[in-house]
Amino acid sequence: KKQAGLDLQAAQGKSAADMAADMAFGDEDADSDDEVYGTAKAIRDAEKAANVVPSLKSAMEELSGVDHSKIEYNTFVKCFYEEDPEIFAMTDSEVAQLRHKFDLRVQGEDPPRPVKSFEN
């Protein structure tokens, strides 16, 4: 159904970009991947019919799926914070005073010490 419409649009002199826009807003229930690949195919077909050199965007090919169960990944540890030496050197009483002064409430095991300035 859409292909027939695209052929008619091409015969009427619509550009590949115009036809792609018509396709992109046509079917609300279509899967987005199907729309993208269908649009890319329509643009390629229209450019071939018009003897236009394809652009990089329209030269897109479908990627094969990746089976992540067959790939062995390194263990990921989410710990990006590196404490500034000045913050590390604070005593427990200084940490308590800062938390009290700025009404900081922390929970959990070994929460990070408060930062004194943006330089830390």
Side-chain angles (χ1 to χ4, degrees):
K1 183 178 175 181
K2 279 189 179 180
Q3 187 61 43
L6 290 174
D7 292 338
L8 177 63
Q9 289 175 349
Q12 293 173 344
K14 279 198 167 186
S15 71
D18 290 338
M19 290 188 296
D22 290 346
M23 277 192 70
F25 297 106
D27 187 0
E28 294 176 8
D29 297 325
D31 181 70
S32 63
D33 287 343
D34 292 339
E35 288 179 3
V36 170
Y37 294 122
T39 302
K41 182 181 182 321
I43 292 172
R44 273 196 311 269
D45 292 347
E47 288 174 342
K48 283 180 187 176
N51 292 323
V52 176
V53 177
S55 67
L56 290 176
K57 288 183 179 180
S58 65
M60 177 176 78
E61 293 185 21
E62 186 170 351
L63 298 175
S64 61
V66 176
D67 184 359
H68 293 280
S69 66
K70 294 181 180 179
I71 300 173
E72 187 173 327
Y73 294 104
N74 293 331
T75 304
F76 179 77
V77 178
K78 186 177 174 181
C79 182
F80 303 107
Y81 179 67
E82 292 181 21
E83 200 167 58
D84 185 271
E86 182 181 340
I87 300 299
F88 180 76
M90 289 173 35
T91 65
D92 289 340
S93 64
E94 289 174 317
V95 169
Q97 286 174 353
L98 266 179
R99 286 183 178 152
H100 179 73
K101 177 180 177 182
F102 295 113
D103 195 26
L104 301 175
R105 298 173 189 167
V106 294
Q107 294 178 348
E109 186 177 321
D110 195 26
R113 295 166 177 260
V115 176
K116 293 179 181 180
S117 70
F118 287 108
E119 293 175 357
N120 301 123

